């Protein structure tokens, strides 16, 4: 139940990739039959990805990861507009690929403002609009949080941004392929997505950039991807991304209803069966497969290890879980205190999960939590305080 | 989860001596939940020996395994012997700890030393090795908040 970290490759996606790992090994730039096969795969995938998000194929740029797409959008668009102004707005809960891109831009003289989120992890469009200045050239707010699943009001932000004002980028890595994503409906200028978030291959991602929007490339090189992302194309990954996008679009409604049902069952079960547990993220506006919690008095890594011993995979934003030993910036921005953030738990459901899996978690998780609480000095202190 | 040694996993999955001692002769606490690790050690002392030791630990797998190992290492030892158990020695006994856990989670020995200090103060005794082993400044240590 850690689909956000790695979702299993769909067999159909694997099938779509295999020819390009085998007989169709050509370079899409070559002017011969071998190149033709590869080129057709890349251009076919471009159409499939564009169809998933309601864009035009020529607006899709393939990248190696969501991180690269976010870097390209934030740095590339800001740098291309530096002559107009050097102010950027992002939300406080953006992915590190966005946040750290803005840090790099700060070294180049850009100023960065961060819009806060409420306790549900939601950005208030008003808070974003308040930060807009005459020299604001870019706003980047994620479409949905990969950590607490909250879906952000991107269309409302777009509608309220001044005309001919800043460009709007959204990191849709967590949402694309999982909920409807329509670049026109959202009113954005650029959007990042990644195949591994919807059962496509890792190393497959894309940035959609609206026609006419200027963006400087991160890499200097040749003519691939219109010169905006030079480097020989990863044809198998791109073909896999295309297929995964096609399937995600085709199965979206059914998948959403199934995953929402499982999610609500898991959320209800955890909150009902485990005392001192809270849901993190928005109670309603959340990604279908995302069930995230904070479990008081215990620490996330120990919880993950015991769950793992029962064959359950999950994730946590606790300090101990992260290599940097820092608690999740998303939870802290939502006003969750450090102690509670230590007990954060994220279950991300995928199409392979079923009710049996959820019931299994609901059987094991309370046992794991109880076991850790029995050895937690915080819990015994709490119980003593309760007694009087 | 191959981040940890087999020994750490054994102690984490089946920690020894977990609990509290109601009428403990010494109690020592270290760490805080903000950093992610917190340990409370309880000792029962008889004839200058640690007759019983128990602890409660809030923290990651390493913190729990460290607590368990410390309790094993000092049970039945004299107070002087227990004071020679260092965080480094605990890490060795656990067949190593991940680098980034050395500092944050390896606090068990210090918590135990605090329990011994508590005992010494309560009983107004001087234990060789206690006074010259002043607390390192780890307490509100470098966990970034």
């Amino acid at each position: 139940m850690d689909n956000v970290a790695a979702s299993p490759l769909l067999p159909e996606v694997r099938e779509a990739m295999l020819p390009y790992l085998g007989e169709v090994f050509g370079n899409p730039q070559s002017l011969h039959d071998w190149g033709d096969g590869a080129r057709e795969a890349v251009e076919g995938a471009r159409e499939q990805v564009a169809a998933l998000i309601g864009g035009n194929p020529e607006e899709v740029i393939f990248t190696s990861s969501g991180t690269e797409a976010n870097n390209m959008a934030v740095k590339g668009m800001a740098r291309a507009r530096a002559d107009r102004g050097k102010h950027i707005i992002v939300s406080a809960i953006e992915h590190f690929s966005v946040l750290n891109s803005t840090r790099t831009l700060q070294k180049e003289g850009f100023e960065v403002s961060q819009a806060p989120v409420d306790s549900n992890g939601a950005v208030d469009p008003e808070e974003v609009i308040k930060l807009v200045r005459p020299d604001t050239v870019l706003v980047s707010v994620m479409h949905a949080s990969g950590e607490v699943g909250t879906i952000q009001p991107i269309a409302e932000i777009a509608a309220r941004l001044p005309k001919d004002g800043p460009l709007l980028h959204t990191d849709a890595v967590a949402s694309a392929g999982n909920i409807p994503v329509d670049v026109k409906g959202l009113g954005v200028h650029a959007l990042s997505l990644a195949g591994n978030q919807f059962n496509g291959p890792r190393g497959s991602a894309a940035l959609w950039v609206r026609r006419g929007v200027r963006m400087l490339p991160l890499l200097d090189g040749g003519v691939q991807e219109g010169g905006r992302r030079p480097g020989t194309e990863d044809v198998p990954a791109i073909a896999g991304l295309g297929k995964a996008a096609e399937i995600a679009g085709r199965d979206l409604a059914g998948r959403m209803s199934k995953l929402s049902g499982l999610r609500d069952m898991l959320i209800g079960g955890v909150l009902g069966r485990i005392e001192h547990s809270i849901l993190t993220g928005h109670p309603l506006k959340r990604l279908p497969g995302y069930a995230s919690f904070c479990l008081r008095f215990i620490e996330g890594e120990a919880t993950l290890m015991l769950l793992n011993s029962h064959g359950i995979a999950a994730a946590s934003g606790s300090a101990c879980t992260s290599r940097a030993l820092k608690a999740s910036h998303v939870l802290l921005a939502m006003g969750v205190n450090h102690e509670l953030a230590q007990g954060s738990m994220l279950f991300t459901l995928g199409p392979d999960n079923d009710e049996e899996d959820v019931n299994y978690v609901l059987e094991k998780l309370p046992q794991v939590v109880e076991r850790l609480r029995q050895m937690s000095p915080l819990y015994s202190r709490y119980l003593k305080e309760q007694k009087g | 989860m191959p981040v940890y040694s087999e020994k750490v996993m054994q102690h984490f999955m089946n920690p020894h001596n977990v609990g509290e001692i109601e009428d403990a002769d010494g109690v020592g606490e270290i760490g805080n939940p903000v950093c992610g690790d917190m340990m409370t050690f309880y000792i029962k002392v008889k004839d200058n020996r640690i007759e019983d030791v128990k602890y409660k630990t809030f923290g990651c797998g390493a913190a729990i395994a460290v607590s368990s190992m410390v309790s094993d290492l000092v049970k039945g030892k004299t107070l002087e012997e227990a004071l020679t158990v260092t965080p480094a020695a605990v890490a060795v006994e656990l067949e190593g700890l991940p680098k980034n856990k050395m500092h944050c989670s390896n606090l068990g020995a210090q918590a135990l030393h605090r329990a011994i200090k508590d005992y010494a103060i309560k009983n107004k005794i001087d234990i060789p090795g206690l006074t010259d082993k002043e607390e390192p400044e780890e307490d509100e240590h470098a966990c970034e908040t």
Side-chain angles (χ1 to χ4, degrees):
Chain A
M1 299 204 173
D2 192 16
N3 278 265
V4 64
S7 56
L9 199 62
L10 290 172
E12 290 161 277
V13 173
R14 187 170 172 273
E15 286 304 312
M17 295 171 70
L18 282 177
Y20 307 101
L21 293 164
E23 63 270 28
V24 193
F25 58 84
N27 184 325
Q29 305 297 331
S30 301
L31 298 176
H32 46 56
D33 288 354
W34 293 274
D36 289 345
R39 188 161 53 248
E40 281 161 22
V42 170
E43 296 317 313
R46 208 183 297 284
E47 285 173 22
Q48 289 164 317
V49 170
L52 179 69
I53 55 172
N56 296 313
E58 63 273 20
E59 296 170 325
V60 173
I61 303 165
F62 292 115
T63 65
S64 65
S65 59
T67 289
E68 187 192 343
N70 283 338
N71 269 263
M72 194 191 282
V74 173
K75 293 178 190 164
M77 289 163 67
R79 285 170 181 161
R81 313 189 92 219
D83 54 343
R84 291 178 180 226
K86 287 194 148 189
H87 179 239
I88 304 165
I89 301 167
V90 296
S91 87
I93 61 162
E94 294 302 306
H95 187 260
F96 285 119
S97 53
V98 169
L99 289 179
N100 289 340
S101 287
T102 67
R103 283 196 185 185
T104 296
L105 289 170
Q106 277 176 315
K107 290 175 194 153
E108 297 173 16
F110 282 87
E111 284 179 69
V112 181
S113 303
Q114 286 195 3
V117 294
D118 64 17
S119 59
N120 289 328
V123 175
D124 178 353
E126 184 58 36
E127 295 286 343
V128 175
I129 301 307
K130 275 200 309 208
L131 295 169
V132 175
R133 315 191 313 209
D135 62 341
T136 308
V137 288
L138 179 68
V139 175
S140 181
V141 176
M142 60 175 27
H143 188 210
S145 165
E147 222 175 292
V148 295
T150 302
I151 300 168
Q152 305 295 351
I154 300 300
E156 285 85 336
I157 295 171
R160 300 183 57 179
L161 282 174
K163 267 208 155 39
D164 302 319
L167 299 178
L168 178 61
H169 164 253
T170 191
D171 167 6
V173 166
S175 60
N178 293 295
I179 54 172
V181 170
D182 175 58
V183 291
K184 293 192 188 80
L186 291 173
V188 293
H189 298 89
L191 178 144
S192 310
L193 61 89
N196 56 320
Q197 296 292 314
F198 49 93
N199 306 95
R202 269 164 274 192
S204 77
L207 177 66
W208 170 88
V209 183
R210 193 194 285 180
R211 192 182 297 152
V213 170
R214 281 185 61 223
M215 185 183 74
L216 297 183
L218 293 177
L219 300 173
D220 296 312
V223 298
Q224 296 91 349
E225 303 298 292
R228 297 210 269 192
R229 205 285 189 172
T232 299
E233 298 87 343
D234 185 349
V235 180
I238 291 170
L241 175 62
K243 192 67 185 176
E246 181 195 310
I247 294 167
R250 184 189 74 199
D251 298 348
L252 194 62
R255 181 171 149 147
M256 280 178 67
S257 96
K258 177 189 164 182
L259 293 185
S260 304
L262 293 176
R263 172 198 68 194
D264 294 342
M265 185 180 156
L266 182 54
I267 291 174
V270 167
L271 298 181
R273 291 180 200 200
I274 302 177
E275 272 193 298
H276 311 294
S277 60
I278 59 158
L279 179 72
T280 55
H282 199 284
L284 301 171
K285 293 177 201 159
R286 59 189 299 130
L287 290 173
Y290 274 61
S292 53
F293 310 94
C294 280
L295 308 171
R296 231 180 126 188
F297 311 120
I298 61 172
E299 191 281 323
E301 192 213 64
T303 314
L304 292 183
M305 286 170 69
L306 287 178
L307 285 176
N308 184 57
S309 76
H310 291 298
I312 299 168
S316 169
S318 87
C320 297
T321 323
S322 77
R323 288 187 185 221
L325 299 180
K326 279 185 182 176
S328 152
H329 70 289
V330 176
L331 295 173
L332 298 181
M334 288 162 58
V336 174
N337 69 37
H338 276 85
E339 180 184 330
L340 198 50
Q342 299 296 359
S344 79
M345 224 7 82
L346 170 61
F347 298 89
T348 42
L349 304 160
D352 287 352
N353 291 125
D354 55 22
E355 285 192 16
E356 204 182 317
D357 295 338
V358 173
N359 280 324
Y360 184 66
V361 172
L362 291 176
E363 179 198 331
K364 294 296 176 191
L365 183 63
Q367 296 170 11
V368 164
V369 171
E370 183 56 25
R371 177 170 163 177
L372 290 171
R373 281 182 179 166
Q374 282 310 322
M375 59 193 299
S376 166
L378 299 172
Y379 190 53
S380 51
R381 185 188 290 169
Y382 168 81
L383 291 179
K384 280 171 197 155
E385 280 166 6
Q386 287 305 101
K387 266 191 206 161
Chain B
M1 294 184 118
V3 185
Y4 291 128
S5 72
E6 242 174 77
K7 200 88 188 168
V8 170
M9 287 308 290
Q10 282 169 13
H11 278 268
F12 169 73
M13 291 306 293
N14 184 23
H16 309 160
N17 305 310
V18 177
E20 291 175 27
I21 301 175
E22 284 299 328
D23 54 344
D25 296 320
V27 181
E29 189 168 283
I30 202 159
N32 64 63
V34 173
C35 290
D37 291 307
M38 183 178 157
M39 302 169 185
T40 312
F41 266 80
Y42 303 83
I43 52 169
K44 197 86 189 139
V45 182
K46 196 178 179 190
D47 301 333
N48 198 45
R49 272 183 195 279
I50 296 181
E51 191 188 32
D52 197 10
V53 53
K54 295 217 181 286
Y55 59 85
K56 288 236 166 157
T57 297
F58 165 88
C60 64
I64 289 169
V66 161
S67 307
S68 172
M69 179 55 84
V70 168
S71 72
D72 274 358
L73 287 175
V74 303
K75 202 168 182 176
K77 295 268 170 66
T78 66
L79 296 175
E80 290 79 7
E81 285 166 342
L83 284 170
T84 64
V85 173
T86 61
V90 174
V92 170
E93 289 292 332
L94 285 170
E95 292 167 3
L97 283 171
K99 240 184 188 161
N100 64 349
K101 302 273 179 179
M102 274 300 198
H103 187 59
C104 229
S105 312
N106 199 358
L107 301 171
Q110 283 124 299
L112 179 89
H113 294 176
R114 282 190 180 181
I116 295 175
K117 194 171 180 178
D118 181 47
Y119 167 77
I121 292 169
K122 277 181 187 158
N123 293 278
K124 299 193 177 63
I125 52 169
D126 189 34
I127 304 168
L130 186 59
T131 41
D132 53 26
K133 197 180 276 191
E134 223 3 85
E135 300 279 345
E137 301 256 331
E138 74 353 282
D139 201 9
E140 290 358 296
H141 55 82
C143 84
E144 290 160 73
T145 59

